[in-house]
Amino acid sequence: MGNAFAATSTDSLAQAKQLLNTYRKTNLKVGACVQGKSLSYDATLTHDDVADAFSIIPPEDFNGDVLAEIAVQNRKAVAEDPNNALLAGMTDQEKEIWTQAVNDCSTQIDFEASGGAEGRAKVEEAQRAALASPEVQAASRVYVACMSGAGFTVSLDPYVAPPGIAQGEHGTSEEELALVERYNSAWQICAPPWQQAFDQKLFG
């Protein structure tokens, strides 16, 4: 009886650790996706994530090993969502853009996860179809015209910054910083309509 209990406890602990690792991988994928849109995202897990993963362990399986593992994982995690600090420094418009990007990326990751490699292929195909649609193509031209009106020559892809801006983001001079700030201000006005058209075609 004692051996059977030990085996069950070990299995539950392994399952909880595997679930937490899935949370970690998902957060990292969402983070990479959001950062690919030139936005910031902190993928660090929270104590709530740890508690949720380990909640699958039945009460009768809780023992010293489980409690020790929870303590280890909590030391790696943070008390609150680290992205709250990012949001606190954003304007309402920036928050809206960031939240939309996170939601889009989360939907994309879930879509891919539901079908593995096949799911990823379907997502990429859907994205190509959305980008090639008349609606998104028209929105791309509107975006280019909008940015041109602000003094910037850009490509049809809102998430590809002009070379001068990409270099300026790592600059230190007042001129470089002012240029990047001006670009970001224009982008926050010009990009959302494109994103809305793209999301509408991609997600319906």
Side-chain angles (χ1 to χ4, degrees):
M1 186 70 165
N3 289 338
F5 176 83
T8 301
S9 177
T10 301
D11 290 345
S12 296
L13 178 56
Q15 290 169 6
K17 290 169 67 175
Q18 183 177 10
L19 180 58
L20 187 63
N21 194 43
T22 298
Y23 291 172
R24 182 175 291 108
K25 288 181 178 179
T26 298
N27 271 15
L28 289 172
K29 288 180 180 179
V30 171
C33 176
V34 173
Q35 289 162 9
K37 299 178 183 293
S38 301
L39 299 171
S40 298
Y41 184 87
D42 192 327
T44 306
L45 293 178
T46 68
H47 291 171
D48 285 344
D49 293 322
V50 176
D52 186 71
F54 282 82
S55 69
I56 69 169
I57 300 178
E60 63 269 19
D61 284 356
F62 262 78
N63 55 29
D65 289 341
V66 171
L67 294 175
E69 184 61 32
I70 291 175
V72 168
Q73 296 300 336
N74 271 331
R75 284 196 292 272
K76 297 178 182 178
V78 293
E80 297 182 358
D81 186 342
N83 291 295
N84 288 342
L86 292 175
L87 288 167
M90 295 182 186
T91 64
D92 289 342
Q93 187 176 36
E94 288 171 337
K95 289 177 183 178
E96 184 176 349
I97 293 171
W98 185 90
T99 301
Q100 185 63 57
V102 172
N103 290 341
D104 290 347
C105 287
S106 297
T107 300
Q108 176 180 323
I109 299 305
D110 289 343
F111 190 11
E112 292 176 4
S114 67
E118 183 179 352
R120 177 183 292 275
K122 288 181 179 179
V123 169
E124 292 175 350
E125 181 181 352
Q127 288 176 332
R128 286 193 294 270
L131 289 170
S133 69
E135 294 86 349
V136 175
Q137 288 290 308
S140 294
R141 292 190 292 272
V142 170
Y143 164 73
V144 169
C146 179
M147 292 298 288
S148 177
F152 297 98
T153 301
V154 297
S155 71
L156 292 172
D157 186 346
Y159 293 105
V160 176
I165 299 301
Q167 294 168 3
E169 289 178 342
H170 302 288
T172 55
S173 71
E174 290 185 7
E175 292 79 7
E176 288 174 317
L177 296 176
L179 178 64
V180 171
E181 184 176 353
R182 203 159 54 80
Y183 173 85
N184 288 337
S185 295
W187 188 91
Q188 288 166 15
I189 294 172
C190 299
W194 180 93
Q195 187 67 60
Q196 184 176 8
F198 178 75
D199 291 344
Q200 182 63 34
K201 290 302 295 184
L202 186 60
F203 303 116

